[in-house]
Amino acid sequence: MSIPLHISGNSSVHDFYCATECTWCDGCGDYGIMAAAKRAMVELGIAPHDVCLAFDIGCHGNMSDKMLGYRFHGLHGRVLPLAAGMKLANPKLPVIAFGGDGASFSEGVNHLVHSIRSHYPITFILHNNANYGLTTGQASSLTWQNQPMNTSPNGIPEDTMRPMEFVFSLGPTFVARTWSGDIKQMTRVMKAAIQHRGFAFVDVLQACPTYNKFASHQWLLEKCYDVSDEGHDPSDLEAAKKIAFDTSERVSCGILYQTEDVPHFIERLVPRKDVKTTPVEETKITDVSALMKRFV
Ligand code: SF4
């Protein structure tokens, strides 16, 4: 990109420590996801003052007061436009957005569509626990068929959305899947996502022992495998789709697809070509008091 990231080059996990009490349930996958996110940033030399972290409403969103960084906690399903705005304002900052499956594949699904097709250079971590946990276990559009949930005790009448088919239909440049019990794998995937040239979609299958009884930690442990152990080439789009879509026997995890050949949103902005400053740096304090008096 034309404006390089501003990264301190040195940090520790302790730098991200926040004393706010954790309110997640025992065994919640959010603990592992937060640990991996911190490790990924530390291993990339990112300090809390180097990064913008965006959250929306959901159990995952409570991470916004459990980890230091420039943090914004936005409206339900609106984390991606929030993150995109941060990045456009200051392209020097790494921007990481965290969202749940309920918000991202229902209320905010339009933002997911347009973030992928816009190639915003941001990282999106999907906390995919296949239900609305914060509001006590209602079915989301990713809840499996025939699963009794609060407000749908007989299972959902709708079809379950297939997130990988949906995402791949939008022309992504980075697609990964990982799961909340494998901190090492999550860390590796998140590091690659943060360093990716454009929009990075990371689907984290997240254990929610309180409300998701079908994709438990044990189930994920038995089903998930790492595609890098089987020689998968992430530049092979058709192979990526094949292993991403077929989860009947095993669930493929790791970096499924990546291409660096597609310019991202800011690189496509003709008026910003060769501009070395950021919109934040170009913003001047303007005295509008005389103007405002005209409306009094
Ligand atoms: Fe985690 Fe589920 Fe509890 Fe929410 S309801 S804190 S996702 S275990």
Side-chain angles (χ1 to χ4, degrees):
M1 62 189 296
S2 53
I3 299 177
L5 292 177
H6 180 272
I7 289 174
S8 296
N10 190 21
S11 66
S12 73
V13 170
H14 186 73
D15 294 337
F16 288 90
Y17 175 73
C18 188
T20 310
E21 182 186 359
C22 268
T23 53
W24 292 320
C25 308
D26 289 349
C28 177
D30 282 332
Y31 290 103
I33 298 173
M34 182 168 72
K38 288 181 185 175
R39 285 188 187 195
M41 289 189 282
V42 168
E43 289 184 20
L44 291 174
I46 297 172
H49 60 264
D50 293 331
V51 64
C52 268
L53 306 171
F55 305 85
D56 63 4
I57 305 302
C59 291
H60 80 280
N62 294 340
M63 195 189 293
S64 67
D65 62 7
K66 297 174 176 60
M67 174 165 63
L68 294 187
Y70 288 112
R71 296 155 294 168
F72 294 82
H73 199 160
L75 298 175
H76 195 217
R78 312 302 168 200
V79 71
L80 286 172
L82 180 65
M86 294 172 181
K87 188 69 180 183
L88 296 182
N90 191 351
K92 288 181 181 175
L93 286 177
V95 175
I96 307 172
F98 299 83
D101 58 287
S104 305
F105 281 87
S106 288
E107 292 89 341
V109 70
N110 52 332
H111 301 305
L112 181 60
V113 169
H114 296 292
S115 294
I116 295 173
R117 67 175 274 271
S118 298
H119 304 293
Y120 295 132
I122 58 179
T123 302
F124 179 48
I125 309 291
L126 176 70
H127 293 236
N128 182 357
N129 60 14
N131 80 100
Y132 289 93
L134 189 69
T135 48
T136 68
Q138 293 79 24
S140 75
S141 49
L142 302 193
T143 300
W144 296 7
Q145 299 284 293
N146 305 319
Q147 293 300 323
M149 303 295 290
N150 288 338
T151 71
S152 54
N154 300 312
I156 53 172
E158 305 94 344
D159 288 338
T160 302
M161 279 185 76
R162 298 181 63 83
M164 283 297 173
E165 282 87 333
F166 182 75
V167 166
F168 271 104
S169 76
L170 298 167
T173 59
F174 185 103
V175 181
R177 180 162 54 202
T178 178
W179 71 285
S180 61
D182 192 336
I183 292 177
K184 203 169 164 189
Q185 182 187 74
M186 282 191 289
T187 303
R188 174 167 54 82
V189 165
M190 288 182 195
K191 280 174 66 181
I194 294 167
Q195 292 175 299
H196 180 63
R197 181 180 187 183
F199 185 85
F201 174 80
V202 180
D203 180 4
V204 184
L205 305 176
Q206 183 210 322
C208 169
T210 304
Y211 296 116
N212 179 330
K213 308 295 184 189
F214 40 99
S216 63
H217 178 90
Q218 190 60 34
W219 186 92
L220 292 164
L221 183 63
E222 290 167 7
K223 290 282 186 181
C224 291
Y225 73 100
D226 196 318
V227 296
S228 64
D229 293 338
E230 301 193 1
H232 172 61
D233 174 7
S235 69
D236 186 337
L237 177 60
E238 292 311 313
K241 287 183 185 176
K242 195 163 179 235
I243 58 173
F245 298 171
D246 183 4
T247 55
S248 53
E249 300 293 328
R250 303 188 301 161
V251 179
S252 53
C253 287
I255 300 169
L256 305 180
Y257 179 65
Q258 182 173 20
T259 175
E260 297 274 359
D261 294 340
V262 179
H264 62 61
F265 184 86
I266 300 171
E267 290 170 330
R268 296 178 186 205
L269 286 178
V270 174
R272 302 299 301 179
K273 193 171 183 300
D274 300 325
V275 178
K276 301 296 180 202
T277 52
T278 69
V280 164
E281 290 164 339
E282 295 154 19
T283 303
K284 297 183 179 64
I285 295 175
T286 306
D287 184 358
V288 295
S289 54
L291 178 68
M292 295 307 288
K293 278 180 189 155
R294 291 171 50 190
F295 300 97
V296 175

